Amino acid sequence: METPHLSALHIFQPPPMPMPQMPSFHQQAPSLSQAQQAQADTDRARAYKSRNKRPCDFCRYKKAACHLDSAPPCELCIRYNKECTFIESPAKRRRPNDSNGSNDMSKSNAAFESMTHTNGGPPDTPFANSGMDLQQELLGWESGVPPFHMPSMGLTPGMGGDFGPFDPALYQDPTMNFDAFEPMSASTTTAETVHQKAHGHHHHSSVDTSPASQVAHLPASLHLPLDSTSGEPSLDNQASSNAQIVGISGEFDPYLLSRYRYDQYNEATFQSIRMRKMNEGSGDDGSVPTFFTIAHNALASKAQPIEKNETMEGYRREVEEMVSDEVGKRLIRLFYKYVQPYFPLLTREGRHERDAAGVREPSGVPTCILAAIYGHALPFIAWDEKLCVEVYTPPSADALFRISWLACMPVLHTPSLAVQQTMLLLLQRRPTNKHVSDTPWKWAMLSTAVSIAQALGLNRDPSDWPLPAWEIKVRKRLGWAVFVQDKWLALNFGRSSHIQADDWDIEPLTEDDFADIDRDGPDAPAGFWGQHFIKLCELTVIVDEIVHDLFSLRATKALHGSLEATLEVAKPLRIRLTEWYQSLPAGLLPQPNPASPDSTRRKSLQHDLDGNGSLHLAYITAKIQLFRAMLRPRVTDSNVAAVSALRTGALAVAKEVFEFLEGLNAQELEAFWASYARTNFTIASSFMLLLFVTSPTLTDAKDCLALLNAWRSLLRIKSRSCDLLNLALLRLDGVFVAGMERLIQLSPSAAQAWSESGQAK
């Protein structure tokens, strides 16, 4: 849309010589007759246009495009905290080759002069006596565009209009135009404050005037959008604002902020944000000063990538077309029953719009997370008494996850707990191609999830923060969920973790961090609720140390040539892993022995799904990683006995994972599995292959080859009902089909065993 270049007002310089023939705004002009006034009014009038077809008064004043999607206010009025009105009539457009142009100019000058004298003397404006009168007239006369219409803009006291004075600061830079102008960076000027105070004028807006906002005490130049949720204890229920933590070394110094004065809501408001104090960091207890900035989402409206409201509404319609509200509520219940106990990201606490069963209505859930919840609940439709017969063709999980991601991207600029939950659910998604490993896109998505967690302060322990109890619980669980995903994917990808232990400080989870309202059904007895995730977090801490101490680049360079040094590092980790296993509550892991103390409980669960297999596999994978590190050094005459003992233990672990998979029944294979479980099964295949190709004796080689063949056959059978096993099978099939003796350098004993087995090509 073509708009007048306002920078021309600054560039134009009036001629130095006097120009008496040009009328000035400050010259006395004859008043308009009634006939002339009626004619002027007729000229100004135009055909009525609806509000979405014509600009509002403020946008017309700013000479800016009026972006109004539906009902007022428009985008510019929101940013400036102005009332979006359609009262003023448009300025008269000058006709080309108008012979009466000078008369029209005189009319405009006379009208303006008449109004200023009516209100008490010459205009008291920032550009009085500055030649703006000549610039105003010449701009319209020479370029053929309508002059900047002054009379309705409230430039002098008593002239009317609620928009405040003309802002000359907008035109100080001759290179500035509306394409580059960011309206949020400059608002009402300080001159307006002085002007309003001097004449008793007050600015009225929808901004919250509670003590925490203190909008009236701010400099007028800082009137930017503020949310009206002061006093809300939750950081996540900030309506149209978002809360982000203040970094220790960032632009805000937490130790300086601790000296600010805060109101009864622990808030101080300045510039365009509210600062929320979590703690002052007394130093006696070792705590660090913690603050959050709460900023209006409109401040990020120019950030990219962004989506239009129509696009976001389109995503919502797609989800609603695929899943009705009634089906959606049942899918949410399935999620809470079969996913939440093992991946506890959501909560029913502190939320509204729930049905009688405590399930939140789909209409109250953001699109990004709602689509992800549906996608994860779809595999469990067969366990719903109604959906199992009524839903013949389930909606596409791929389409739901696509919408979830597309709806999540624009709100990364204004993150919330729902955004973090969405990212974690997207990371937990089942593989899109069961025969191919994850692409780097998943690693990039993980880095985004970690970044959002740090922005939300999920890496800090919130136990003593002045927050609602439900939010403290969710924050702790989400912080640990990000930690778990990061560490296991780092192990799977063989890359360094995004999270540094020095900057991740969250207290261990307890059963108190899991709300009873989130428990679905009697399947989680008292004393058992939340134990799966609690123990997974404890195991992940050990795995993190295993990866750091044995598999980081520096650790590998330092240890791979020395068995003694490797054993010294691995010994305490092996002890901790054993102690972790011994501390498990009865029945948490599958027990192959029917005479175990937990056999009664296991029989009672045979009618339903059991998702604890993922945790057991993670434990075995941690043991495999220890043996992989200890078997790296070369065998020498001095360490042959130690290597032999290690190989015996390693073969026992390989048999353990075989027996684990063999003992899994349908109730366990169809249950929830962590996304990294697929790679953990593949790691087991690689480990068994390593044991065979490095066999030092013929007997050892035959034992390893027999186990490898049995594992491959078992994978073929089990993968028919569990797609998590396809990649582990594919890796072995590729080696066997290509010919192991041609693809891998075998030890002499392994080569002999392979040849005698008749599998050589």
Side-chain angles (χ1 to χ4, degrees):
M1 169 175 145
E2 293 292 328
T3 59
H5 291 286
L6 298 179
S7 59
L9 291 175
H10 181 84
I11 297 174
F12 177 80
Q13 296 295 334
M17 66 182 66
M19 300 178 66
Q21 71 277 14
M22 293 298 298
S24 170
F25 283 153
H26 303 301
Q27 292 178 341
Q28 181 68 35
S31 59
L32 298 177
S33 66
Q34 293 183 354
Q36 290 174 324
Q37 184 64 44
Q39 179 63 35
D41 293 341
T42 302
D43 292 340
R44 283 185 68 188
R46 66 167 179 164
Y48 172 80
K49 290 187 178 181
S50 63
R51 290 183 176 181
N52 60 354
K53 297 296 184 181
R54 63 190 179 107
C56 70
D57 300 331
F58 188 56
C59 288
R60 181 179 291 113
Y61 161 53
K62 288 292 187 182
K63 294 288 185 177
C66 187
H67 298 289
L68 184 64
D69 295 330
S70 55
C74 67
E75 180 180 335
L76 196 62
C77 288
I78 292 175
R79 293 175 185 169
Y80 272 81
N81 260 341
K82 298 295 184 183
E83 184 180 2
C84 194
T85 60
F86 295 82
I87 300 173
E88 298 292 334
S89 299
K92 175 185 175 182
R93 285 190 177 275
R94 190 175 305 283
R95 296 183 179 88
N97 302 323
D98 190 351
S99 60
N100 297 324
S102 59
N103 293 334
D104 293 336
M105 194 179 304
S106 299
K107 292 178 184 179
S108 175
N109 293 339
F112 182 83
E113 190 71 17
S114 174
M115 296 185 71
T116 55
H117 281 284
T118 301
N119 288 282
D124 180 18
T125 66
F127 44 85
N129 304 318
S130 63
M132 281 295 296
D133 46 352
L134 297 180
Q135 296 182 31
Q136 173 65 34
E137 289 295 302
L138 289 177
L139 179 64
W141 177 57
E142 292 188 347
S143 62
V145 298
F148 202 80
H149 193 65
M150 301 283 193
S152 63
M153 292 299 108
L155 293 176
T156 59
M159 286 183 62
D162 295 330
F163 302 132
F166 180 80
D167 188 358
L170 301 181
Y171 311 105
Q172 292 176 358
D173 185 357
T175 64
M176 180 176 291
N177 55 52
F178 276 108
D179 293 334
F181 176 55
E182 172 51 68
M184 291 180 292
S185 62
S187 187
T188 315
T189 62
T190 306
E192 177 186 17
T193 307
V194 177
H195 214 92
Q196 290 177 344
K197 287 182 178 180
H199 296 84
H201 288 189
H202 300 284
H203 176 70
H204 299 283
S205 70
S206 59
V207 177
D208 180 29
T209 56
S210 64
S213 290
Q214 301 288 326
V215 175
H217 297 245
L218 297 179
S221 60
L222 301 176
H223 277 182
L224 296 178
L226 290 172
D227 194 17
S228 58
T229 55
S230 269
E232 167 59 52
S234 169
L235 289 173
D236 197 53
N237 288 344
Q238 291 295 321
S240 57
S241 291
N242 65 93
Q244 299 183 37
I245 198 165
V246 174
I248 299 176
S249 63
E251 56 172 313
F252 293 110
D253 185 345
Y255 291 90
L256 173 61
L257 293 176
S258 64
R259 304 181 68 88
Y260 278 49
R261 301 182 187 278
Y262 296 87
D263 59 21
Q264 66 268 36
Y265 303 114
N266 288 324
E267 290 186 0
T269 303
F270 58 96
Q271 296 183 350
S272 58
I273 61 174
R274 289 161 28 219
M275 191 69 65
R276 173 77 67 84
K277 177 180 67 176
M278 295 290 109
N279 62 51
E280 294 181 341
S282 60
D284 298 335
D285 56 356
S287 62
V288 176
T290 306
F291 300 86
F292 279 81
T293 60
I294 303 177
H296 199 286
N297 292 341
L299 297 178
S301 61
K302 292 295 184 181
Q304 296 294 335
I306 200 70
E307 288 289 0
K308 296 181 179 179
N309 289 337
E310 310 90 79
T311 305
M312 300 296 285
E313 292 170 359
Y315 295 149
R316 187 72 182 197
R317 286 194 299 270
E318 285 188 61
V319 174
E320 292 173 349
E321 290 171 359
M322 286 190 285
V323 182
S324 65
D325 279 356
E326 184 60 32
V327 173
K329 287 192 286 188
R330 289 186 169 273
L331 288 176
I332 293 175
R333 292 192 189 100
L334 288 174
F335 182 94
Y336 270 97
K337 188 172 185 179
Y338 295 113
V339 179
Q340 178 77 4
Y342 312 106
F343 203 42
L345 304 183
L346 309 184
T347 185
R348 291 173 173 141
E349 287 189 308
R351 302 294 184 182
H352 305 290
E353 300 171 341
R354 295 197 299 265
D355 62 9
V359 176
R360 193 177 180 187
E361 295 288 341
S363 58
V365 182
T367 303
C368 57
I369 189 172
L370 184 65
I373 291 173
Y374 288 167
H376 280 288
L378 284 177
F380 305 105
I381 281 182
W383 279 265
D384 183 273
E385 293 296 338
K386 188 175 182 180
L387 299 182
C388 65
V389 295
E390 293 187 359
V391 180
Y392 300 102
T393 305
S396 168
D398 290 342
L400 286 169
F401 283 120
R402 177 188 63 84
I403 294 174
S404 177
W405 171 247
L406 292 176
C408 184
M409 275 197 300
V411 293
L412 292 178
H413 302 297
T414 56
S416 63
L417 296 185
V419 174
Q420 186 68 74
Q421 291 163 334
T422 303
M423 294 300 300
L424 288 169
L425 289 176
L426 290 172
L427 286 170
Q428 176 53 42
R429 180 186 180 184
R430 288 284 186 104
T432 54
N433 189 333
K434 55 189 178 181
H435 296 291
V436 178
S437 183
D438 289 315
T439 68
W441 174 249
K442 190 167 189 177
W443 188 247
M445 187 185 297
L446 174 63
S447 68
T448 302
V450 173
S451 300
I452 295 298
Q454 291 173 332
L456 294 174
L458 298 179
N459 59 324
R460 305 274 193 95
D461 185 69
S463 300
D464 60 347
W465 292 357
L467 294 174
W470 69 265
E471 186 168 354
I472 292 177
K473 296 175 185 178
V474 173
R475 280 181 162 272
K476 289 184 66 176
R477 297 203 306 266
L478 287 177
W480 276 108
V482 174
F483 182 86
V484 168
Q485 291 292 112
D486 178 75
K487 299 305 179 182
W488 280 102
L489 289 180
L491 182 148
N492 286 172
F493 279 96
R495 295 171 187 160
S496 56
S497 168
H498 296 92
I499 295 175
Q500 303 301 317
D502 292 343
D503 294 318
W504 211 266
D505 181 27
I506 312 175
E507 288 295 315
L509 294 174
T510 66
E511 289 186 16
D512 294 336
D513 295 315
F514 297 82
D516 289 338
I517 193 175
D518 294 334
R519 186 185 308 175
D520 197 301
D523 298 330
F528 187 75
W529 177 236
Q531 283 298 320
H532 176 102
F533 193 67
I534 291 173
K535 290 302 177 181
L536 174 61
C537 294
E538 294 176 0
L539 176 62
T540 305
V541 172
I542 302 174
V543 168
D544 178 38
E545 295 188 26
I546 291 175
V547 174
H548 179 270
D549 296 347
L550 294 171
F551 289 92
S552 66
L553 185 58
R554 288 188 177 182
T556 302
K557 291 172 65 176
L559 300 176
H560 77 98
S562 172
L563 179 59
E564 293 181 358
T566 303
L567 292 176
E568 184 177 354
V569 174
K571 182 178 179 179
L573 296 173
R574 295 180 67 183
I575 294 174
R576 290 180 58 190
L577 201 57
T578 302
E579 292 175 346
W580 174 88
Y581 185 81
Q582 293 173 348
S583 69
L584 290 174
L588 189 59
L589 295 180
Q591 299 290 335
N593 182 6
S596 65
D598 193 45
S599 59
T600 302
R601 176 184 175 274
R602 285 183 58 79
K603 289 180 181 178
S604 68
L605 288 178
Q606 288 303 305
H607 71 283
D608 213 340
L609 302 181
D610 183 358
N612 290 313
S614 181
L615 181 60
H616 192 189
L617 176 63
Y619 163 69
I620 299 176
T621 303
K623 293 202 294 185
I624 289 176
Q625 294 299 103
L626 283 173
F627 278 102
R628 284 178 62 179
M630 292 186 291
L631 290 174
R632 285 184 308 209
R634 293 181 178 275
V635 181
T636 63
D637 294 339
S638 60
N639 65 15
V640 63
V643 171
S644 178
L646 284 175
R647 287 189 60 85
T648 301
L651 187 58
V653 173
K655 292 179 179 178
E656 182 180 358
V657 69
F658 174 85
E659 293 172 355
F660 163 72
L661 178 58
E662 186 180 36
L664 291 178
N665 53 40
Q667 287 81 7
E668 292 161 326
L669 289 173
E670 294 294 330
F672 173 85
W673 287 82
S675 61
Y676 47 81
R678 183 172 76 136
T679 305
N680 287 351
F681 279 117
T682 309
I683 288 174
S685 293
S686 178
F687 182 60
M688 293 182 189
L689 185 60
L690 173 68
L691 291 179
F692 169 67
V693 302
T694 58
S695 299
T697 65
L698 181 60
T699 302
D700 187 61
K702 290 182 177 180
D703 290 343
C704 292
L705 182 59
L707 178 61
L708 189 61
N709 286 324
W711 173 253
R712 185 185 178 203
S713 298
L714 182 62
L715 287 174
R716 283 179 173 171
I717 297 172
K718 295 286 188 177
S719 63
R720 304 291 294 178
S721 58
C722 183
D723 56 9
L724 292 174
L725 302 173
N726 286 289
L727 187 61
L729 175 61
L730 181 64
R731 292 292 185 258
L732 286 182
D733 284 345
V735 173
F736 276 78
V737 171
M740 189 180 302
E741 75 283 0
R742 295 199 298 266
L743 191 63
I744 302 175
Q745 181 180 355
L746 305 176
S747 69
S749 299
Q752 182 179 351
W754 178 256
S755 177
E756 292 178 0
S757 68
Q759 296 175 277
K761 298 294 183 181

